[in-house]
Short mmCIF file of all heavy atoms in Angstrom, two decimals:
data_model
loop_
_atom_site.label_atom_id
_atom_site.label_comp_id
_atom_site.label_asym_id
_atom_site.label_seq_id
_atom_site.Cartn_x
_atom_site.Cartn_y
_atom_site.Cartn_z
N HIS A 51 22.80 25.84 29.60
CA HIS A 51 23.42 25.41 30.86
C HIS A 51 22.37 25.47 31.95
O HIS A 51 22.43 26.32 32.84
CB HIS A 51 24.62 26.30 31.18
CG HIS A 51 25.66 26.28 30.10
ND1 HIS A 51 25.76 27.26 29.15
CD2 HIS A 51 26.60 25.37 29.80
CE1 HIS A 51 26.74 26.95 28.31
NE2 HIS A 51 27.28 25.81 28.68
N PRO A 52 21.39 24.56 31.88
CA PRO A 52 20.26 24.60 32.80
C PRO A 52 20.69 24.25 34.23
O PRO A 52 21.50 23.37 34.43
CB PRO A 52 19.34 23.49 32.26
CG PRO A 52 20.28 22.51 31.64
CD PRO A 52 21.39 23.34 31.04
N SER A 53 20.14 24.98 35.18
CA SER A 53 20.45 24.68 36.57
C SER A 53 19.53 23.59 37.10
O SER A 53 18.37 23.51 36.71
CB SER A 53 20.30 25.93 37.43
OG SER A 53 21.47 26.70 37.36
N PHE A 54 20.07 22.80 38.00
CA PHE A 54 19.26 21.79 38.68
C PHE A 54 18.17 22.47 39.49
O PHE A 54 17.06 21.95 39.62
CB PHE A 54 20.17 20.95 39.58
CG PHE A 54 19.46 19.84 40.29
CD1 PHE A 54 19.05 18.70 39.61
CD2 PHE A 54 19.19 19.92 41.64
CE1 PHE A 54 18.40 17.67 40.26
CE2 PHE A 54 18.54 18.89 42.31
CZ PHE A 54 18.14 17.77 41.61
N VAL A 64 27.10 34.72 29.79
CA VAL A 64 27.42 33.68 30.77
C VAL A 64 26.19 33.31 31.59
O VAL A 64 25.44 34.18 32.04
CB VAL A 64 28.56 34.12 31.70
CG1 VAL A 64 28.77 33.11 32.83
CG2 VAL A 64 29.84 34.32 30.91
N MET A 65 25.98 32.01 31.75
CA MET A 65 24.92 31.51 32.62
C MET A 65 25.58 30.60 33.66
O MET A 65 26.35 29.71 33.30
CB MET A 65 23.92 30.70 31.78
CG MET A 65 22.78 30.11 32.54
SD MET A 65 21.53 31.35 33.00
CE MET A 65 20.19 30.88 31.88
N GLY A 67 24.94 28.53 37.60
CA GLY A 67 24.10 28.13 38.71
C GLY A 67 24.92 27.54 39.84
O GLY A 67 26.14 27.43 39.72
N GLN A 68 24.26 27.14 40.89
CA GLN A 68 24.84 26.65 42.15
C GLN A 68 25.45 27.84 42.90
O GLN A 68 26.41 28.48 42.44
CB GLN A 68 25.90 25.56 41.94
CG GLN A 68 25.31 24.18 41.67
CD GLN A 68 24.85 23.47 42.95
OE1 GLN A 68 24.95 24.01 44.05
NE2 GLN A 68 24.33 22.27 42.78
N THR A 71 29.19 28.41 43.07
CA THR A 71 29.80 28.65 41.76
C THR A 71 29.47 30.06 41.26
O THR A 71 30.30 30.72 40.63
CB THR A 71 29.34 27.56 40.77
OG1 THR A 71 29.49 26.28 41.37
CG2 THR A 71 30.16 27.59 39.50
N ARG A 79 34.99 38.63 39.23
CA ARG A 79 34.59 39.80 38.43
C ARG A 79 34.59 41.10 39.21
O ARG A 79 34.78 42.16 38.64
CB ARG A 79 33.17 39.58 37.89
CG ARG A 79 33.11 38.63 36.72
CD ARG A 79 32.86 39.40 35.43
NE ARG A 79 32.78 38.48 34.30
CZ ARG A 79 31.82 38.52 33.38
NH1 ARG A 79 30.84 39.41 33.47
NH2 ARG A 79 31.83 37.68 32.38
N GLU A 87 46.10 32.31 43.05
CA GLU A 87 45.49 30.98 43.04
C GLU A 87 45.15 30.49 44.46
O GLU A 87 44.03 30.04 44.72
CB GLU A 87 46.45 30.00 42.36
CG GLU A 87 45.88 28.60 42.21
CD GLU A 87 46.85 27.68 41.48
OE1 GLU A 87 48.05 27.67 41.82
OE2 GLU A 87 46.39 26.95 40.57
N GLN A 88 46.10 30.58 45.38
CA GLN A 88 45.85 30.08 46.73
C GLN A 88 44.72 30.87 47.40
O GLN A 88 43.86 30.29 48.06
CB GLN A 88 47.13 30.18 47.58
CG GLN A 88 46.93 29.82 49.04
CD GLN A 88 46.64 28.33 49.26
OE1 GLN A 88 47.54 27.50 49.18
NE2 GLN A 88 45.39 27.98 49.55
N TRP A 92 41.14 29.31 48.57
CA TRP A 92 40.86 29.35 50.00
C TRP A 92 39.47 29.95 50.26
O TRP A 92 38.69 29.42 51.05
CB TRP A 92 41.97 30.12 50.71
CG TRP A 92 41.82 30.33 52.19
CD1 TRP A 92 41.89 31.53 52.84
CD2 TRP A 92 41.60 29.34 53.21
NE1 TRP A 92 41.72 31.35 54.19
CE2 TRP A 92 41.53 30.02 54.45
CE3 TRP A 92 41.43 27.96 53.19
CZ2 TRP A 92 41.32 29.37 55.66
CZ3 TRP A 92 41.20 27.30 54.40
CH2 TRP A 92 41.16 27.99 55.61
N GLN A 95 36.96 27.43 49.24
CA GLN A 95 36.94 26.33 50.22
C GLN A 95 36.13 26.72 51.46
O GLN A 95 35.32 25.94 51.97
CB GLN A 95 38.38 25.98 50.59
CG GLN A 95 38.50 24.92 51.67
CD GLN A 95 39.96 24.59 51.99
OE1 GLN A 95 40.86 24.89 51.21
NE2 GLN A 95 40.19 23.98 53.14
N MET A 98 32.48 26.71 50.54
CA MET A 98 31.92 25.36 50.47
C MET A 98 31.59 24.84 51.86
O MET A 98 30.63 24.10 52.05
CB MET A 98 32.92 24.41 49.81
CG MET A 98 33.25 24.70 48.37
SD MET A 98 31.87 24.34 47.31
CE MET A 98 31.40 22.78 47.99
N THR A 99 32.40 25.22 52.83
CA THR A 99 32.15 24.78 54.21
C THR A 99 30.92 25.50 54.78
O THR A 99 30.11 24.90 55.49
CB THR A 99 33.41 24.99 55.06
OG1 THR A 99 34.53 24.38 54.40
CG2 THR A 99 33.25 24.37 56.44
N ASP A 102 28.01 23.73 53.30
CA ASP A 102 27.73 22.48 54.02
C ASP A 102 26.89 22.75 55.26
O ASP A 102 25.94 22.02 55.57
CB ASP A 102 29.03 21.79 54.44
CG ASP A 102 29.75 21.10 53.28
OD1 ASP A 102 29.13 20.93 52.21
OD2 ASP A 102 30.93 20.72 53.44
N ASP A 109 18.35 20.78 56.85
CA ASP A 109 17.90 19.44 57.22
C ASP A 109 17.47 19.34 58.68
O ASP A 109 16.88 18.32 59.06
CB ASP A 109 18.99 18.41 56.90
CG ASP A 109 19.01 18.09 55.39
OD1 ASP A 109 18.27 18.75 54.63
OD2 ASP A 109 19.77 17.20 54.98
N PRO A 113 14.63 16.57 57.95
CA PRO A 113 15.61 15.49 57.98
C PRO A 113 15.23 14.28 57.13
O PRO A 113 16.10 13.50 56.77
CB PRO A 113 15.66 15.09 59.47
CG PRO A 113 14.33 15.48 59.99
CD PRO A 113 13.92 16.71 59.24
N ALA A 115 12.63 14.29 54.26
CA ALA A 115 12.37 14.53 52.84
C ALA A 115 11.93 15.98 52.60
O ALA A 115 11.06 16.49 53.31
CB ALA A 115 11.30 13.58 52.32
N SER A 117 10.26 16.74 50.16
CA SER A 117 8.94 16.63 49.56
C SER A 117 7.82 16.52 50.61
O SER A 117 6.65 16.56 50.27
CB SER A 117 8.89 15.41 48.63
OG SER A 117 9.13 14.21 49.36
N LEU A 118 8.19 16.36 51.88
CA LEU A 118 7.19 16.31 52.95
C LEU A 118 7.15 17.63 53.71
O LEU A 118 8.12 18.37 53.73
CB LEU A 118 7.54 15.19 53.95
CG LEU A 118 7.56 13.76 53.43
CD1 LEU A 118 8.06 12.82 54.53
CD2 LEU A 118 6.17 13.34 52.94
N ASP A 122 5.18 16.69 59.08
CA ASP A 122 5.23 15.24 58.86
C ASP A 122 6.55 14.61 59.27
O ASP A 122 6.75 13.40 59.11
CB ASP A 122 4.96 14.91 57.38
CG ASP A 122 3.55 15.30 56.97
OD1 ASP A 122 2.65 15.21 57.83
OD2 ASP A 122 3.36 15.71 55.81
N GLU A 126 11.56 13.58 64.04
CA GLU A 126 12.89 13.43 63.48
C GLU A 126 13.62 14.78 63.47
O GLU A 126 14.83 14.85 63.70
CB GLU A 126 12.81 12.88 62.05
CG GLU A 126 12.24 11.47 61.94
CD GLU A 126 10.73 11.44 61.72
OE1 GLU A 126 10.06 12.44 62.03
OE2 GLU A 126 10.23 10.40 61.26
N ARG A 129 15.10 15.44 66.88
CA ARG A 129 16.34 14.68 67.12
C ARG A 129 17.50 15.28 66.35
O ARG A 129 18.60 15.44 66.87
CB ARG A 129 16.17 13.22 66.64
CG ARG A 129 15.60 12.26 67.66
CD ARG A 129 15.75 10.81 67.18
NE ARG A 129 16.98 10.18 67.61
CZ ARG A 129 17.42 9.01 67.18
NH1 ARG A 129 16.74 8.33 66.27
NH2 ARG A 129 18.56 8.50 67.62
N ARG A 130 17.25 15.60 65.08
CA ARG A 130 18.35 16.12 64.27
C ARG A 130 18.81 17.49 64.77
O ARG A 130 20.00 17.79 64.81
CB ARG A 130 17.95 16.20 62.79
CG ARG A 130 19.06 16.80 61.94
CD ARG A 130 19.21 16.18 60.57
NE ARG A 130 20.39 16.73 59.91
CZ ARG A 130 20.98 16.20 58.86
NH1 ARG A 130 20.52 15.09 58.34
NH2 ARG A 130 22.04 16.76 58.32
N ASP A 133 21.12 17.34 67.82
CA ASP A 133 22.51 17.04 67.47
C ASP A 133 23.19 18.23 66.79
O ASP A 133 24.36 18.53 67.03
CB ASP A 133 22.57 15.82 66.54
CG ASP A 133 24.00 15.47 66.16
OD1 ASP A 133 24.68 14.83 66.99
OD2 ASP A 133 24.48 15.88 65.08
N PHE A 142 31.51 23.68 63.54
CA PHE A 142 31.66 24.67 62.46
C PHE A 142 32.15 26.02 63.02
O PHE A 142 33.07 26.63 62.47
CB PHE A 142 30.33 24.87 61.73
CG PHE A 142 30.01 23.82 60.70
CD1 PHE A 142 29.06 22.85 60.93
CD2 PHE A 142 30.65 23.82 59.45
CE1 PHE A 142 28.74 21.88 59.97
CE2 PHE A 142 30.35 22.86 58.49
CZ PHE A 142 29.38 21.89 58.75
N TRP A 145 35.73 26.26 63.83
CA TRP A 145 36.58 26.35 62.64
C TRP A 145 36.61 27.79 62.10
O TRP A 145 37.68 28.34 61.82
CB TRP A 145 36.07 25.37 61.57
CG TRP A 145 37.00 25.20 60.40
CD1 TRP A 145 38.19 24.52 60.39
CD2 TRP A 145 36.82 25.72 59.08
NE1 TRP A 145 38.75 24.59 59.13
CE2 TRP A 145 37.94 25.31 58.32
CE3 TRP A 145 35.83 26.48 58.47
CZ2 TRP A 145 38.09 25.64 56.97
CZ3 TRP A 145 35.97 26.81 57.12
CH2 TRP A 145 37.09 26.40 56.38
N ARG A 152 43.58 33.63 63.65
CA ARG A 152 44.96 33.26 63.34
C ARG A 152 45.55 34.15 62.27
O ARG A 152 44.86 34.39 61.27
CB ARG A 152 45.03 31.81 62.84
CG ARG A 152 45.35 30.80 63.91
CD ARG A 152 45.67 29.45 63.31
NE ARG A 152 44.76 29.08 62.24
CZ ARG A 152 43.62 28.38 62.42
NH1 ARG A 152 43.27 27.97 63.60
NH2 ARG A 152 42.86 28.09 61.39
N ARG A 242 27.58 18.39 74.04
CA ARG A 242 28.36 17.18 73.80
C ARG A 242 29.83 17.53 73.55
O ARG A 242 30.73 16.89 74.03
CB ARG A 242 27.79 16.40 72.62
CG ARG A 242 28.15 14.94 72.72
CD ARG A 242 27.51 14.10 71.66
NE ARG A 242 26.07 14.32 71.55
CZ ARG A 242 25.33 13.72 70.64
NH1 ARG A 242 25.87 12.90 69.77
NH2 ARG A 242 24.04 13.94 70.57
N HIS B 51 46.01 27.02 55.88
CA HIS B 51 44.69 26.89 55.27
C HIS B 51 44.09 25.57 55.69
O HIS B 51 43.95 24.65 54.88
CB HIS B 51 44.79 27.02 53.76
CG HIS B 51 45.40 28.32 53.32
ND1 HIS B 51 46.71 28.45 52.98
CD2 HIS B 51 44.86 29.56 53.22
CE1 HIS B 51 46.97 29.72 52.67
NE2 HIS B 51 45.86 30.41 52.80
N PRO B 52 43.75 25.46 56.98
CA PRO B 52 43.29 24.18 57.52
C PRO B 52 41.93 23.79 56.96
O PRO B 52 41.06 24.64 56.80
CB PRO B 52 43.16 24.46 59.03
CG PRO B 52 42.85 25.92 59.10
CD PRO B 52 43.61 26.55 57.97
N SER B 53 41.77 22.52 56.66
CA SER B 53 40.47 22.06 56.17
C SER B 53 39.55 21.73 57.33
O SER B 53 40.01 21.26 58.37
CB SER B 53 40.65 20.82 55.29
OG SER B 53 40.99 21.21 53.99
N PHE B 54 38.28 21.95 57.10
CA PHE B 54 37.28 21.55 58.09
C PHE B 54 37.29 20.04 58.27
O PHE B 54 37.06 19.53 59.36
CB PHE B 54 35.90 22.02 57.62
CG PHE B 54 34.80 21.72 58.58
CD1 PHE B 54 34.67 22.45 59.75
CD2 PHE B 54 33.88 20.73 58.32
CE1 PHE B 54 33.64 22.18 60.66
CE2 PHE B 54 32.85 20.44 59.21
CZ PHE B 54 32.74 21.17 60.38
N VAL B 64 50.75 25.12 47.45
CA VAL B 64 49.30 25.28 47.52
C VAL B 64 48.67 24.21 48.40
O VAL B 64 49.01 23.03 48.30
CB VAL B 64 48.66 25.24 46.11
CG1 VAL B 64 47.14 25.24 46.19
CG2 VAL B 64 49.16 26.41 45.26
N MET B 65 47.75 24.63 49.26
CA MET B 65 46.97 23.70 50.09
C MET B 65 45.50 23.99 49.79
O MET B 65 45.06 25.14 49.86
CB MET B 65 47.28 23.97 51.56
CG MET B 65 46.53 23.09 52.54
SD MET B 65 47.20 21.42 52.60
CE MET B 65 47.99 21.45 54.22
N GLY B 67 41.33 22.36 50.25
CA GLY B 67 40.40 21.38 50.77
C GLY B 67 39.03 21.55 50.15
O GLY B 67 38.82 22.45 49.35
N GLN B 68 38.09 20.71 50.55
CA GLN B 68 36.74 20.59 50.00
C GLN B 68 36.82 19.94 48.61
O GLN B 68 37.40 20.50 47.67
CB GLN B 68 36.01 21.94 49.90
CG GLN B 68 35.45 22.43 51.23
CD GLN B 68 34.13 21.75 51.62
OE1 GLN B 68 33.63 20.88 50.90
NE2 GLN B 68 33.59 22.14 52.75
N THR B 71 36.38 21.92 45.42
CA THR B 71 37.40 22.95 45.23
C THR B 71 38.73 22.33 44.82
O THR B 71 39.47 22.89 43.99
CB THR B 71 37.55 23.79 46.52
OG1 THR B 71 36.25 24.18 46.96
CG2 THR B 71 38.37 25.04 46.27
N PHE B 75 40.72 23.03 41.18
CA PHE B 75 42.17 23.22 41.07
C PHE B 75 42.79 22.21 40.09
O PHE B 75 43.53 22.59 39.18
CB PHE B 75 42.80 23.08 42.47
CG PHE B 75 44.29 22.95 42.49
CD1 PHE B 75 45.09 24.08 42.34
CD2 PHE B 75 44.89 21.71 42.67
CE1 PHE B 75 46.49 23.96 42.37
CE2 PHE B 75 46.27 21.59 42.70
CZ PHE B 75 47.08 22.71 42.55
N ARG B 79 44.69 22.64 36.31
CA ARG B 79 46.10 22.27 36.17
C ARG B 79 46.34 21.15 35.17
O ARG B 79 47.40 21.05 34.59
CB ARG B 79 46.62 21.80 37.54
CG ARG B 79 46.91 22.91 38.51
CD ARG B 79 48.41 23.11 38.66
NE ARG B 79 48.70 24.20 39.58
CZ ARG B 79 49.59 24.12 40.56
NH1 ARG B 79 50.29 23.01 40.73
NH2 ARG B 79 49.81 25.16 41.34
N GLU B 87 35.80 30.67 30.45
CA GLU B 87 35.07 30.96 31.69
C GLU B 87 33.75 30.17 31.79
O GLU B 87 33.47 29.53 32.80
CB GLU B 87 34.77 32.47 31.75
CG GLU B 87 34.11 32.91 33.04
CD GLU B 87 33.89 34.42 33.09
OE1 GLU B 87 33.40 34.99 32.08
OE2 GLU B 87 34.21 35.02 34.13
N GLN B 88 32.94 30.21 30.74
CA GLN B 88 31.66 29.51 30.79
C GLN B 88 31.86 28.01 30.98
O GLN B 88 31.15 27.37 31.76
CB GLN B 88 30.86 29.78 29.52
CG GLN B 88 29.55 28.99 29.42
CD GLN B 88 28.49 29.43 30.43
OE1 GLN B 88 27.85 30.45 30.25
NE2 GLN B 88 28.29 28.65 31.50
N TRP B 92 30.64 25.86 34.21
CA TRP B 92 29.65 24.82 33.96
C TRP B 92 30.07 23.48 34.56
O TRP B 92 29.28 22.80 35.22
CB TRP B 92 29.40 24.72 32.45
CG TRP B 92 28.46 23.64 31.99
CD1 TRP B 92 28.70 22.71 31.03
CD2 TRP B 92 27.09 23.42 32.42
NE1 TRP B 92 27.60 21.91 30.85
CE2 TRP B 92 26.60 22.31 31.68
CE3 TRP B 92 26.26 24.02 33.35
CZ2 TRP B 92 25.31 21.80 31.86
CZ3 TRP B 92 24.97 23.50 33.53
CH2 TRP B 92 24.51 22.41 32.79
N GLN B 95 29.70 23.76 38.23
CA GLN B 95 28.27 23.74 38.59
C GLN B 95 27.74 22.30 38.58
O GLN B 95 27.00 21.90 39.50
CB GLN B 95 27.50 24.61 37.60
CG GLN B 95 26.00 24.61 37.80
CD GLN B 95 25.28 25.50 36.79
OE1 GLN B 95 25.90 26.36 36.15
NE2 GLN B 95 23.98 25.31 36.63
N MET B 98 29.09 20.52 41.64
CA MET B 98 28.38 20.90 42.86
C MET B 98 27.06 20.14 42.98
O MET B 98 26.62 19.80 44.07
CB MET B 98 28.09 22.40 42.86
CG MET B 98 29.31 23.29 42.90
SD MET B 98 30.13 23.20 44.48
CE MET B 98 28.71 23.34 45.52
N THR B 99 26.43 19.89 41.85
CA THR B 99 25.17 19.16 41.86
C THR B 99 25.42 17.68 42.18
O THR B 99 24.65 17.05 42.92
CB THR B 99 24.44 19.34 40.52
OG1 THR B 99 24.35 20.76 40.24
CG2 THR B 99 23.04 18.76 40.56
N ASP B 102 25.93 17.60 45.86
CA ASP B 102 24.65 17.63 46.58
C ASP B 102 24.05 16.24 46.66
O ASP B 102 23.51 15.83 47.69
CB ASP B 102 23.66 18.57 45.86
CG ASP B 102 23.97 20.05 46.09
OD1 ASP B 102 24.78 20.36 46.99
OD2 ASP B 102 23.40 20.89 45.38
N ASP B 109 23.15 10.89 53.73
CA ASP B 109 22.11 11.07 54.73
C ASP B 109 21.02 10.01 54.66
O ASP B 109 20.20 9.91 55.58
CB ASP B 109 21.50 12.47 54.61
CG ASP B 109 22.42 13.52 55.26
OD1 ASP B 109 23.53 13.15 55.69
OD2 ASP B 109 22.04 14.70 55.33
N PRO B 113 20.32 10.03 58.62
CA PRO B 113 19.42 11.18 58.51
C PRO B 113 19.37 12.05 59.77
O PRO B 113 18.99 13.20 59.69
CB PRO B 113 18.06 10.54 58.25
CG PRO B 113 18.15 9.20 58.86
CD PRO B 113 19.57 8.76 58.69
N ALA B 115 22.02 12.07 62.61
CA ALA B 115 23.30 12.61 63.09
C ALA B 115 24.46 11.74 62.66
O ALA B 115 24.41 10.51 62.78
CB ALA B 115 23.27 12.70 64.63
N SER B 117 27.08 11.69 64.23
CA SER B 117 27.70 11.26 65.48
C SER B 117 27.05 10.00 66.06
O SER B 117 27.54 9.43 67.03
CB SER B 117 27.63 12.39 66.51
OG SER B 117 26.29 12.72 66.78
N LEU B 118 25.94 9.57 65.48
CA LEU B 118 25.27 8.33 65.93
C LEU B 118 25.56 7.19 64.96
O LEU B 118 25.84 7.42 63.79
CB LEU B 118 23.75 8.53 66.00
CG LEU B 118 23.22 9.59 66.97
CD1 LEU B 118 21.72 9.73 66.81
CD2 LEU B 118 23.58 9.22 68.41
N ASP B 122 21.27 3.30 65.32
CA ASP B 122 20.50 4.19 66.21
C ASP B 122 19.56 5.11 65.45
O ASP B 122 18.89 5.97 66.05
CB ASP B 122 21.47 5.04 67.04
CG ASP B 122 22.28 4.19 68.00
OD1 ASP B 122 21.75 3.17 68.47
OD2 ASP B 122 23.45 4.54 68.26
N GLU B 126 14.42 6.04 60.80
CA GLU B 126 14.51 7.29 60.06
C GLU B 126 15.23 7.07 58.72
O GLU B 126 14.88 7.67 57.71
CB GLU B 126 15.25 8.35 60.88
CG GLU B 126 14.53 8.77 62.16
CD GLU B 126 14.94 7.96 63.39
OE1 GLU B 126 15.50 6.85 63.23
OE2 GLU B 126 14.70 8.43 64.52
N ARG B 129 12.82 5.70 56.17
CA ARG B 129 11.92 6.73 55.61
C ARG B 129 12.67 7.61 54.62
O ARG B 129 12.18 7.92 53.55
CB ARG B 129 11.39 7.64 56.74
CG ARG B 129 10.13 7.17 57.40
CD ARG B 129 9.54 8.27 58.29
NE ARG B 129 8.59 9.14 57.59
CZ ARG B 129 8.11 10.28 58.08
NH1 ARG B 129 8.49 10.73 59.26
NH2 ARG B 129 7.24 10.99 57.39
N ARG B 130 13.87 8.03 55.01
CA ARG B 130 14.61 8.93 54.13
C ARG B 130 15.02 8.23 52.85
O ARG B 130 14.96 8.80 51.76
CB ARG B 130 15.84 9.51 54.85
CG ARG B 130 16.67 10.38 53.95
CD ARG B 130 17.27 11.59 54.60
NE ARG B 130 17.91 12.45 53.60
CZ ARG B 130 18.26 13.69 53.80
NH1 ARG B 130 18.02 14.28 54.95
NH2 ARG B 130 18.83 14.40 52.85
N ASP B 133 12.22 8.00 50.25
CA ASP B 133 12.04 9.24 49.49
C ASP B 133 13.18 9.45 48.51
O ASP B 133 12.98 9.90 47.37
CB ASP B 133 11.95 10.43 50.44
CG ASP B 133 11.75 11.73 49.67
OD1 ASP B 133 10.59 11.99 49.28
OD2 ASP B 133 12.74 12.45 49.42
N PHE B 142 17.57 13.87 40.08
CA PHE B 142 18.98 14.10 39.72
C PHE B 142 19.33 13.40 38.40
O PHE B 142 19.95 14.00 37.53
CB PHE B 142 19.90 13.58 40.83
CG PHE B 142 20.07 14.51 41.99
CD1 PHE B 142 19.44 14.26 43.21
CD2 PHE B 142 20.89 15.64 41.90
CE1 PHE B 142 19.61 15.11 44.31
CE2 PHE B 142 21.06 16.49 42.99
CZ PHE B 142 20.42 16.23 44.20
N TRP B 145 18.22 15.07 35.31
CA TRP B 145 19.02 16.26 34.98
C TRP B 145 20.32 15.85 34.29
O TRP B 145 20.70 16.41 33.25
CB TRP B 145 19.29 17.06 36.27
CG TRP B 145 19.89 18.41 36.04
CD1 TRP B 145 19.26 19.52 35.55
CD2 TRP B 145 21.25 18.80 36.29
NE1 TRP B 145 20.15 20.58 35.49
CE2 TRP B 145 21.37 20.16 35.94
CE3 TRP B 145 22.37 18.14 36.79
CZ2 TRP B 145 22.58 20.87 36.07
CZ3 TRP B 145 23.57 18.84 36.91
CH2 TRP B 145 23.66 20.19 36.55
N ARG B 152 21.60 16.41 25.17
CA ARG B 152 21.35 17.66 24.45
C ARG B 152 22.62 18.19 23.80
O ARG B 152 23.65 18.25 24.48
CB ARG B 152 20.80 18.73 25.41
CG ARG B 152 19.29 18.82 25.43
CD ARG B 152 18.83 20.06 26.14
NE ARG B 152 19.56 20.29 27.37
CZ ARG B 152 19.18 19.84 28.59
NH1 ARG B 152 18.08 19.14 28.72
NH2 ARG B 152 19.90 20.09 29.64
N ARG B 242 7.05 7.89 42.80
CA ARG B 242 6.31 9.14 42.95
C ARG B 242 6.46 10.01 41.71
O ARG B 242 5.52 10.63 41.26
CB ARG B 242 6.80 9.87 44.20
CG ARG B 242 5.73 10.77 44.76
CD ARG B 242 6.11 11.41 46.05
NE ARG B 242 6.61 10.45 47.03
CZ ARG B 242 7.06 10.82 48.23
NH1 ARG B 242 7.09 12.09 48.56
NH2 ARG B 242 7.49 9.93 49.07
#
Side-chain angles (χ1 to χ4, degrees):
Chain A
H51 302 99
S53 277
F54 182 74
V64 173
M65 179 76 108
Q68 281 280 1
T71 312
R79 283 254 181 133
E87 184 178 47
Q88 174 69 75
W92 177 233
Q95 176 179 341
M98 295 290 315
T99 308
D102 284 347
D109 282 6
S117 61
L118 297 174
D122 295 327
E126 295 92 339
R129 272 191 91 190
R130 177 143 186 163
D133 181 80
F142 279 105
W145 190 73
R152 265 192 316 270
R242 205 174 310 177
Chain B
H51 302 98
S53 277
F54 182 74
V64 173
M65 179 76 108
Q68 282 281 2
T71 311
F75 167 79
R79 283 254 179 133
E87 185 177 47
Q88 175 69 77
W92 177 232
Q95 176 180 343
M98 296 290 315
T99 308
D102 284 347
D109 282 5
S117 61
L118 298 175
D122 294 328
E126 295 92 341
R129 272 192 91 191
R130 177 142 187 164
D133 181 80
F142 279 105
W145 190 74
R152 265 193 315 269
R242 206 174 309 177

